[in-house]
Amino acid sequence: MRSYILALGFLLITYFVKGQAIIEGISYDESKVPDYVLPELLTCEDGTKVTTVAQWEQKRRPEVMEYFASQEYGRTPQDKIAVTYETLTENRMAMEGKATSKQVKFTFTNGKNVVEAILLMYIPNNRKGKAPVFVGYNFKGNHSTTLDTTVFYSPSFYFVKSPDHPDWKRGNQMNRWCYDKIINRGYAVVTMCYHDIYPDKVEGLMEHSVSSLFPSYDPNSTAPDRWGAIGAWAWGSSRIVDYLETQDWVDLNKIAIMGHSRQGKAALWAGAQDPRFKVVISNDSGCGGAALSKRVYGENIARIIKLFPHWFCPAFQQYADNEAKLPFDQHQLVALIAPRHVYVASADGDWWADPKGEFLSVYHAGPVYKLYGLSGFKTDVQPDIHKPIMMDVGYHVREGEHDVKDYDWERFMDFCDIHFNKSE
Ligand code: GTR
């Protein structure tokens, strides 16, 4: 018995380092971070140094956008897809009268194929005028974010997972959506299941994704810049904003996007492309999100494209085990969002997502914020746990694991309070 326990203990120690599974090819060793050189933010391809906002916006920014479109997430098609909105429910007495809840079905179609998605909204009743809004995808259906039995299963459920699956039960992810606190602070929150826009399956389910609606759609395309799921999710969040623009309760100058993990990656890419997102929040987004790829710490490109090839464009594969070759890095994605505000959050126990690399991306985006006369971080030393930094960009590292906690939401709201009140 004793030797059995010892063997088990040994196994656990070798399999996990501080709670992180040991996976071949993955390093959690800071001393093994290569001597990397980050691609210059403010030097154009032809060597011109960027010293003005005009040069950044007209010359360098388009070059940086092109890297992400041609080599990481793929090119977002520009065709307009027809959509209709149908209000399914509206309850002015939700959350004990504090909020109005609303569910609206989006039907996207190209005349042949149809993709349906449901947006769930909670809007504070006790407000003067229009409401600031958080836009964010949920992972397991709108009904997983609340115990409210009037909330419908998301349309994607029936082909992605059965709603009876134990992981996908009503309220199962409500710990990630502190609606009560959000409403109490005067924010509206709108959410949709990300599978409604693009089912997150390696094998595709392409006919259910919005990608299938575009004229250029080819499920077998291997074009290097063919957009992937992250691109489609980013596109979908902009379609949520299109809907919000039809609503008179929305303060269009106060729209924030919040994404966790893979959705933190998509939120940054959405923020880079769509200036209607005034605050962009990326929680524990890691590799392909806020973390610098060239640090090769935690999840790396080889690993992410092995498990999730459908998230990225085919050209990204050339950087597997070859991060040094990348002509761009994720700090440039943050910089693309300037002069709008970016907030990156990490979790101390989430080594997989490389908290330090997430912090450094924001730090290294600083020169572009400075160009606009805005404030970046003063130091490249990561702050301590629960010591948020709130400048024109923001960051915190929270105690605990990969997740979205009330602590995170509270800081997101603090950050939005600062920037949204300024714009009044
Ligand atoms: C992991 C993946 C991460 C992150 C995470 C999530 O499996 O390796 O990049 O996106 O999933 O989205 O929860």
Side-chain angles (χ1 to χ4, degrees):
M1 184 63 181
R2 193 163 167 265
S3 59
Y4 172 75
I5 290 169
L6 280 176
L8 189 70
F10 179 72
L11 202 76
L12 285 175
I13 289 164
T14 47
Y15 192 65
F16 290 99
V17 179
K18 288 207 185 164
Q20 310 286 319
I22 296 176
I23 295 170
E24 211 194 317
I26 298 295
S27 166
Y28 298 122
D29 185 345
E30 196 59 41
S31 72
K32 297 223 170 85
V33 168
D35 282 334
Y36 58 89
V37 180
L38 286 183
E40 287 273 346
L41 251 183
L42 294 181
T43 307
C44 301
E45 308 275 292
D46 65 4
T48 315
K49 297 279 178 210
V50 174
T51 54
T52 66
V53 167
Q55 273 176 314
W56 164 252
E57 289 185 350
Q58 284 152 30
K59 190 162 174 166
R60 180 58 177 156
R61 189 177 184 279
E63 289 178 357
V64 174
M65 271 303 274
E66 181 59 19
Y67 284 136
F68 290 98
S70 64
Q71 303 196 41
E72 186 163 0
Y73 307 117
R75 222 171 276 289
T76 308
Q78 295 304 311
D79 319 78
K80 208 169 154 27
I81 301 299
V83 62
T84 52
Y85 308 120
E86 182 193 350
T87 302
L88 303 176
T89 61
E90 180 158 5
N91 174 12
R92 290 175 193 278
M93 291 305 288
M95 299 173 65
E96 293 162 355
K98 279 199 296 197
T100 296
S101 68
K102 225 175 144 177
Q103 297 180 84
V104 170
K105 185 160 85 181
F106 290 32
T107 305
F108 297 103
T109 183
N110 60 0
K112 281 180 278 173
N113 201 5
V114 172
V115 172
E116 290 180 345
I118 297 180
L119 187 69
L120 167 66
M121 291 164 262
Y122 288 100
I123 306 151
N125 286 338
N126 182 13
R127 60 171 206 276
K128 298 183 220 92
K130 296 174 188 275
V133 189
F134 284 103
V135 175
Y137 286 114
N138 62 73
F139 284 68
K140 300 193 173 184
N142 293 344
H143 73 284
S144 73
T145 69
T146 170
L147 290 173
D148 179 350
T149 51
T150 65
V151 173
F152 295 112
Y153 294 131
S154 296
S156 50
F157 258 47
Y158 301 98
F159 49 86
V160 173
K161 210 57 145 216
S162 147
D164 303 325
H165 189 284
D167 274 5
W168 295 56
K169 283 230 163 72
R170 187 174 296 281
N172 197 38
Q173 296 226 315
M174 57 189 284
N175 60 318
R176 288 188 173 176
W177 297 90
C178 51
Y179 290 145
D180 214 54
K181 289 195 161 118
I182 298 172
I183 291 296
N184 285 348
R185 285 184 60 165
Y187 287 87
V189 51
V190 306
T191 187
M192 181 182 276
C193 180
Y194 80 130
H195 294 293
D196 286 1
I197 295 296
Y198 190 113
D200 192 3
K201 295 273 179 184
V202 181
E203 67 271 21
L205 291 173
M206 291 291 279
E207 72 284 9
H208 294 293
S209 80
V210 293
S211 308
S212 70
L213 304 174
F214 287 87
S216 57
Y217 172 62
D218 170 3
N220 302 314
S221 165
T222 52
D225 60 352
R226 192 254 307 129
W227 70 333
I230 292 177
W233 294 321
W235 179 91
S237 40
S238 289
R239 304 295 70 81
I240 295 175
V241 180
D242 294 347
Y243 170 76
L244 294 177
E245 286 183 329
T246 70
Q247 298 296 295
D248 60 7
W249 55 267
V250 177
D251 188 334
L252 295 172
N253 291 315
K254 298 181 181 173
I255 298 181
I257 181 168
M258 195 298 276
H260 168 62
S261 207
R262 65 200 69 183
Q263 289 314 321
K265 310 178 208 294
L268 290 169
W269 183 224
Q273 296 176 89
D274 191 336
R276 294 173 300 174
F277 293 113
K278 305 298 183 202
V279 170
V280 177
I281 302 164
S282 147
N283 190 70
D284 302 355
S285 61
C287 180
L292 290 176
S293 304
K294 286 179 185 287
R295 278 175 43 82
V296 204
Y297 182 105
E299 186 175 31
N300 58 33
I301 295 178
R303 170 78 189 189
I304 203 167
I305 59 165
K306 188 166 163 216
L307 261 65
F308 307 108
H310 59 297
W311 288 359
F312 301 94
C313 69
F316 198 46
Q317 303 193 357
Q318 66 188 292
Y319 302 109
D321 295 320
N322 203 8
E323 278 86 352
K325 260 264 173 103
L326 274 168
F328 61 98
D329 210 329
Q330 300 304 111
H331 64 304
Q332 294 174 313
L333 182 62
V334 175
L336 285 173
I337 300 166
R340 289 165 293 122
H341 306 284
V342 177
Y343 192 93
V344 168
S346 305
D348 173 46
D350 186 16
W351 295 9
W352 186 244
D354 185 15
K356 185 170 175 187
E358 292 178 319
F359 166 76
L360 286 175
S361 268
V362 189
Y363 171 76
H364 288 294
V368 173
Y369 280 87
K370 283 200 192 95
L371 212 54
Y372 283 96
L374 298 172
S375 58
F377 297 160
K378 293 202 179 71
T379 157
D380 63 358
V381 180
Q382 204 187 350
D384 289 340
I385 294 175
H386 299 171
K387 295 273 183 233
I389 316 180
M390 304 219 180
M391 321 277 285
D392 282 303
V393 284
Y395 176 83
H396 75 242
V397 54
R398 149 181 74 68
E399 186 176 38
E401 73 282 15
H402 184 79
D403 203 352
V404 192
K405 302 277 194 195
D406 289 9
Y407 177 87
D408 299 313
W409 274 108
E410 281 159 1
R411 300 300 77 75
F412 303 156
M413 289 188 278
D414 293 347
F415 188 70
C416 287
D417 283 354
I418 295 170
H419 294 296
F420 286 164
N421 289 337
K422 259 195 209 158
S423 66
E424 266 174 358

